[in-house]
Amino acid sequence: MSTSAISVRESEVLALLGEHLSNAEISSRLFISVRTVESHVSALLRKLDVADRRALARRAAELARAERPRPVSALPTPLTAFVGRVRERAELAEAVKTRRQVTAVGPGGVGKTRLALAVAAEAAGDFADGVWFVDLAPVLDPGRVGAAVAAAVGVGEQPGRGIDEAVLAALADRQGLLVLDNCEQIRDGVAPFLERLLVACPRLRVLATSRARMMVPFEWVFPVPPLSFADGGDSEAVTLFMERAAAVGLPPDPAVRERIAALCERLDGMALAIELAAARWPTLGLDGLTAGLSDQLRILAGGPRADDRHRSVRAALDWSHDLLEPCDRALLRRISVFAMPFTADAATEVAAFAPLDPAAVADGLGRLAEQSLLTATPSAAGTRYQALETIRQYGTERLADAAELTDVRSRHLGRCLAGATALTAAEAEGTDRPARFDALAEDMRAALAWAAGRPEQRADAYRLALAMGELTFARNLLGEAQQRFEQAAALAGEGEGAGVGAGDGAAALRQAAAVAGCRRLGDDMLRLHRAAAEAARRAGDTIGAGRDLSAAATVAYRFSSEFTRVPTADEVTAVLAEARQLSEGGDPAAEAALALAEAAVLADAFGAVQGAADNTAHETVELAEHAVELAGRAGDPVAESAALDALSGALTWAGDSFGAAAAARRRIDVLRPVPGTPAATHERMDALAMAAGTALGVGDLPQARRWGRQLADQPLFAEVGHHAMSWLLIADAFAGRAEEVLAGSTEFLDAWRRSGRQRSFSLGPAAASVAMIHGLRGDHEARAHWLAVVDRAGTTSEHRHGYGAVFDALVLLHHGDPDAALVRLAPEPDEVWKWVSWIWLHWYVALRAEASVLAGHPDARNRIAAARRTVTGNPVATAQLDRAQGLLDGDVTRQLAAAAAFDAAGCPYQAARTLLLAGPAHAEDGSAALARLGLTGG
């Protein structure tokens, strides 16, 4: 039978059979029951027409080979063919297959990079997940090694963790080869990153190139020798010279191969030196090359050349440099400031000053490329040029010798600042903006690193750091965005008197705090808001300082679950008291911020971890409403949304679920026209989550799903499927859409594991909703597996008294055990209000009333009546109470009307279940509806 008849789940089981797992192990891996595994195995034996499990395992291997996607091969394509090094390639290829980390060591210009690329290309097929190449030459900050690897591997940032941790998690079970090129200039950053990487990723292999070993565990050093010239005219060195000379002009006569061998010997077989010499063959010929290089080598003689092969590369570079026209020499040294490939226009901006004019720059780039001092590569934006790292370093030395370093670096800084300003302009928004940023990013980082250490450049460095903060945030590089905003703040503090000062620093720190919020780093949010207050105070802005301290007090309570060390109530109260003193003066924004902080801290509107339990709901609502009013008066949509969040929370404590949902819905409207700043983005993500949750709370399942979908589509959630999918899973679970839940649960579980098994107010309910679907399907082993996830992803009290009671009762009622459901829902609603009041109150009281009817509880009728007073206006809960009333009174017509109401409310599961409860005449239709939803078995 064709494998097209095999279901997705059967394919998963078949793949695991190919790994020779037992049924129990497959059950655990897929979160399904052993019974279900046995069923799938039987189906596979029949569909594939094989005799036993061993044959299934063989078939799985065959299918894996046939369907296996080609591994990733993210390697740059060299412009010229690789020559020779047969022995070295074989040894290094074997080493990368058998050793955890190999470092190809040798002097600059010996050919380490080309050898590593050749070996990686050949070995790609031996690594299931392929090969990644990371050029570290442009990276100047040791702390950005992980970010460079993340960019190459395609890993984005995740809220609550740094980019290094995200890389380790993403590569933890990957079987691939990571090539790290040019490690020497940031060895202090590479070594610790490598050590952590290799410990966390046991199936990963690393091939590094460096001028010195990394000195890390697992390292095996492979010294890269010069090209051999021992075989005279037939040597690798001569072959390289002949091929490169032929590529740029008239091929050398084979008769002179022995004389070329002598020339290559003088160059110590150094690949770069040979290529530079070969590039001059058409104009100088053998005699000219021999004379020129002999003179240079004689000047540099002294000491054993084998101990310092840099001498031969230096000789070739000096010689090649001295043969250039003065204008081309100036161009070579000036373009050395570019960290990334650059265009002729970019080179003109930086290098076109005396003795060079723009026309000389364009012509000179072509001549330098002809002499192998630059590579030229066509691109959509025009030809791009780049120098090898060795040549770039040489050019930088020459730049310093010519006393042009400051001038050229300043021009480069100006270009980067102009580029950053253009990218941050509103008109720069577009699909090509990420690519434009990526093309300029490393140059901006290099320019910023240079300027930050020079007092006369502090103002421009501040502006570039601030722009980089905005750009990296837009590129979803949140860790760097926070770093750049903090760097801008530090530069503002150091650059007073140069057009920036403490006030600018305070503004940058507020941006940094907002980015920390997007990253779910509560400790950083608090630290940065307090730092902003101090900077504002230094600038004489006491009102601004008070606003920042109010924000600090608010986040300590509003986002208390995102702290590694939760601030105590006394600490936060002291911050609030200081904010109150500084905010006197009638500033609307400061008053609004203070009012929100008081609602958060004094009335615990957000239900904080450290919040008090003795504030009345009425007082909480009043304070939150006051905060909303003041924020609206101040004209700050982000502040108004935050205040509405407090009001939404306060209304839930008061039992007003509809008011809470309306306040949450209003946040979406308030934020809709606001640009995507860090603060607005953080607020919008929270608003979508709250809107989805409160919509579920009042039975608006279609709207909850729409907002859940918008939340999942947020770019900042690209790497965190567990957060992205959580509200979609819950909405679909309540509706009974089993196939959607089970499909989404795989992404949720994988992302949650990669995240380090985080806890969150939404992750526990999301996992519980998946457990519920398995329970409805009768797959109780899979349900038990997911309940174990709930224990890790949520909190015990919420699961015991809140959403857990709701989901458990739904499963128990589905399987005809109302007595057990009633036990699960035994507490009166006001006994568990803290856990059910937000989303779960209507579900709790409606389920409790229905369970009372089905269990024959004497107070069932009164419970229905009491529940109606709570849920009036909730279409799903009202239909559930109508069904309960119909069951209590034996009114089938009323039950069927409830089924139609469930369908209209977007809850097909309860519609189908109503038909089952309505009696034998309707049970067949109910069973068919459940089957369509995927709820008829594991």
Side-chain angles (χ1 to χ4, degrees):
M1 177 175 288
S2 168
T3 58
S4 62
I6 297 175
S7 69
V8 173
R9 179 63 85 185
E10 287 169 345
S11 296
E12 294 173 340
V13 171
L14 181 61
L16 295 178
L17 286 170
E19 297 180 22
H20 305 287
L21 299 187
S22 67
N23 285 358
E25 290 170 325
I26 295 173
S27 165
S28 177
R29 184 80 65 88
L30 297 180
F31 284 88
I32 58 178
S33 68
V34 173
R35 176 172 59 82
T36 301
V37 176
E38 292 170 350
S39 174
H40 288 318
V41 171
S42 297
L44 287 166
L45 289 170
R46 183 181 70 257
K47 290 180 178 182
L48 296 176
D49 192 25
V50 295
D52 52 29
R53 289 175 66 94
R54 182 173 298 179
L56 277 179
R58 287 196 298 269
R59 182 61 63 86
E62 293 168 2
L63 291 174
R65 285 192 294 271
E67 300 175 3
R68 177 177 169 182
R70 297 185 62 169
V72 175
S73 183
L75 296 172
T77 303
L79 299 178
T80 54
F82 187 79
V83 174
R85 295 199 184 275
V86 175
R87 180 187 60 81
E88 292 95 327
R89 287 166 71 176
E91 289 183 11
L92 197 52
E94 182 62 26
V96 298
K97 295 175 192 175
T98 58
R99 299 182 183 275
R100 299 296 312 283
Q101 195 248 309
V102 178
T103 304
V105 172
V110 76
K112 300 184 297 294
T113 298
R114 290 300 303 271
L115 176 61
L117 284 172
V119 169
E122 291 177 3
D126 296 315
F127 294 93
D129 294 306
V131 179
W132 303 277
F133 180 85
V134 186
D135 183 6
L136 294 174
V139 181
L140 302 178
D141 181 356
R144 288 197 50 76
V145 172
V149 174
V153 175
V155 173
E157 295 201 38
Q158 298 184 2
R161 71 193 319 177
I163 191 65
D164 286 13
E165 286 72 21
V167 171
L168 301 187
L171 299 180
D173 60 351
R174 305 289 284 276
Q175 184 194 11
L177 175 63
L178 180 66
V179 182
L180 299 179
D181 192 34
N182 292 305
C183 296
E184 59 276 348
Q185 83 278 7
I186 49 168
R187 192 170 54 156
D188 290 346
V190 176
F193 177 80
L194 269 181
E195 189 167 347
R196 294 176 61 203
L197 180 75
L198 293 169
V199 170
C201 309
R203 303 176 69 202
L204 194 69
R205 299 289 183 268
V206 174
L207 172 58
T209 74
S210 177
R211 296 183 186 182
R213 61 177 300 177
M214 296 290 100
M215 303 296 289
V216 294
F218 305 111
E219 183 179 33
W220 185 76
V221 176
F222 181 86
V224 178
L227 288 168
S228 170
F229 45 81
D231 294 332
D234 295 326
S235 67
E236 292 178 339
V238 172
T239 301
L240 175 65
F241 185 98
M242 298 288 283
E243 290 203 8
R244 297 298 188 260
V248 295
L250 184 67
D253 189 326
V256 300
R257 290 182 73 107
E258 292 300 328
R259 294 179 63 193
I260 291 174
L263 181 68
C264 291
E265 183 176 0
R266 291 186 176 188
L267 293 173
D268 288 325
M270 299 295 283
L272 176 58
I274 292 170
E275 295 202 17
L276 290 172
R280 290 287 184 173
W281 171 265
T283 55
L284 296 180
L286 184 58
D287 290 341
L289 289 173
T290 302
L293 285 171
S294 294
D295 182 61
Q296 286 291 326
L297 290 171
R298 189 165 52 250
I299 293 171
L300 292 170
R305 287 183 299 169
D307 293 338
D308 188 5
R309 290 194 169 90
H310 283 286
R311 293 178 182 277
S312 54
V313 173
R314 167 73 64 177
L317 285 170
D318 284 339
W319 166 77
S320 189
H321 173 270
D322 291 345
L323 288 175
L324 296 173
E325 294 296 326
C327 286
D328 290 349
R329 294 179 199 170
L331 180 59
L332 179 64
R333 64 178 180 260
R334 291 173 185 177
I335 54 89
S336 68
V337 296
F338 287 102
M340 295 289 285
F342 56 90
T343 63
D345 287 342
T348 298
E349 287 185 47
V350 171
F353 63 97
L356 297 177
D357 59 27
V361 170
D363 290 343
L365 291 173
R367 288 191 293 274
L368 293 177
E370 290 171 2
Q371 306 306 323
S372 294
L373 292 166
L374 289 180
T375 59
T377 308
S379 75
T383 301
R384 289 189 172 271
Y385 299 89
Q386 187 174 27
L388 290 175
E389 180 63 13
T390 300
I391 295 175
R392 197 166 74 87
Q393 291 174 4
Y394 177 85
T396 302
E397 293 177 11
R398 286 286 185 171
L399 196 60
D401 292 342
E404 291 181 345
L405 185 61
T406 298
D407 194 2
V408 175
R409 283 286 188 192
S410 296
R411 288 170 174 269
H412 181 250
L413 171 64
R415 167 179 158 69
C416 290
L417 186 55
T421 302
L423 283 171
T424 55
E427 58 269 21
E429 296 287 348
T431 56
D432 67 333
R433 179 175 165 179
R436 290 168 60 200
F437 168 79
D438 292 344
L440 190 59
E442 288 298 347
D443 277 295
M444 288 192 290
R445 291 176 182 124
L448 182 54
W450 175 78
R454 286 157 179 79
E456 71 279 7
Q457 301 286 359
R458 289 284 161 75
D460 281 345
Y462 159 79
R463 296 182 184 95
L464 182 55
L466 195 65
M468 283 286 287
E470 295 178 29
L471 292 169
T472 50
F473 180 80
R475 198 67 177 94
N476 210 14
L477 302 173
L478 302 192
E480 184 176 3
Q482 182 179 330
Q483 174 197 351
R484 296 305 176 193
F485 283 127
E486 292 195 53
Q487 183 180 24
L491 289 165
E494 296 167 354
E496 299 201 32
V500 293
D504 299 295
L509 287 166
R510 292 172 194 133
Q511 294 271 65
V515 178
C518 293
R519 300 177 71 198
R520 298 178 181 268
L521 300 177
D523 305 80
D524 277 5
M525 289 183 73
L526 180 61
R527 171 180 62 82
L528 291 163
H529 278 302
R530 298 188 73 168
E534 184 57 34
R537 203 191 317 249
R538 287 199 310 273
D541 181 9
T542 55
I543 295 295
R547 190 168 64 248
D548 291 322
L549 288 176
S550 292
T554 297
V555 301
Y557 269 55
R558 186 183 181 194
F559 302 108
S560 59
S561 64
E562 297 175 8
F563 282 76
T564 55
R565 188 195 72 82
V566 179
T568 67
D570 288 344
E571 289 177 67
V572 182
T573 302
V575 173
L576 179 59
E578 188 178 0
R580 191 179 289 114
Q581 291 176 352
L582 294 173
S583 299
E584 296 175 355
D587 179 78
E591 289 180 350
L594 181 61
L596 179 58
E598 290 176 337
V601 178
L602 302 181
D604 193 23
F606 299 107
V609 172
Q610 70 276 55
D614 56 354
N615 296 300
T616 68
H618 179 69
E619 290 172 347
T620 307
V621 171
E622 282 188 348
L623 285 172
E625 286 178 335
H626 182 56
V628 172
E629 178 189 353
L630 291 178
R633 193 182 303 166
D636 184 344
V638 173
E640 186 175 358
S641 172
L644 285 166
D645 190 27
L647 179 59
S648 181
L651 290 170
T652 64
W653 306 147
D656 185 357
S657 300
F658 294 100
R665 186 167 58 247
R666 187 172 152 196
R667 293 177 67 191
I668 304 293
D669 296 334
V670 165
L671 292 168
R672 186 168 286 114
V674 182
T677 63
T681 300
H682 182 214
E683 196 64 37
R684 185 173 286 112
M685 290 166 62
D686 184 74
L688 286 169
M690 296 303 101
T694 53
L696 282 168
V698 295
D700 191 349
L701 299 185
Q703 186 62 67
R705 195 177 199 285
R706 282 192 289 273
W707 277 324
R709 181 72 266 168
Q710 289 182 40
L711 183 67
D713 290 340
Q714 290 293 301
L716 294 187
F717 276 165
E719 302 293 326
V720 283
H722 52 311
H723 286 294
M725 297 293 300
S726 57
W727 291 110
L728 280 176
L729 289 174
I730 298 168
D732 282 339
F734 273 126
R737 297 186 178 92
E739 294 299 330
E740 286 90 338
V741 172
L742 295 179
S745 68
T746 301
E747 179 181 349
F748 175 93
L749 191 62
D750 288 345
W752 177 70
R753 285 170 170 166
R754 291 196 305 270
S755 77
R757 293 172 166 78
Q758 296 172 324
R759 289 186 187 273
S760 168
F761 71 91
S762 62
L763 298 182
S769 71
V770 179
M772 183 192 77
I773 288 296
H774 283 296
L776 297 182
R777 287 164 53 85
D779 194 341
H780 298 295
E781 288 186 54
R783 179 170 180 252
H785 283 303
W786 274 92
L787 289 176
V789 174
V790 174
D791 289 340
R792 296 286 302 275
T795 61
T796 302
S797 57
E798 288 177 318
H799 184 236
R800 178 71 188 88
H801 302 296
Y803 61 83
V806 169
F807 288 131
D808 289 350
L810 281 164
V811 173
L812 292 166
L813 289 174
H814 180 86
H815 291 291
D817 194 351
D819 292 318
L822 197 55
V823 170
R824 192 70 178 86
L825 300 165
E828 294 289 340
D830 59 0
E831 295 177 32
V832 292
W833 68 272
K834 181 177 181 181
W835 297 282
V836 302
S837 60
W838 175 42
I839 288 177
W840 320 109
L841 177 61
H842 289 192
W843 298 94
Y844 188 92
V845 298
L847 283 165
R848 190 167 184 266
E850 181 177 303
S852 299
V853 170
L854 294 172
H857 193 281
D859 201 30
R861 196 172 298 276
N862 289 334
R863 289 184 175 183
I864 291 175
R868 283 193 188 282
R869 291 191 291 272
T870 300
V871 308
T872 299
N874 180 325
V876 177
T878 297
Q880 191 165 12
L881 293 175
D882 287 343
R883 181 176 68 195
Q885 190 74 54
L887 289 168
L888 185 62
D889 297 337
D891 186 345
V892 175
T893 300
R894 188 166 193 169
Q895 294 174 50
L896 295 178
F902 280 126
D903 267 331
C907 192
Y909 162 66
Q910 291 292 359
R913 184 165 176 270
T914 304
L915 296 176
L916 291 176
L917 291 171
H922 306 284
E924 185 175 344
D925 289 340
S927 296
L930 288 178
R932 286 194 296 273
L933 291 170
L935 291 172
T936 54

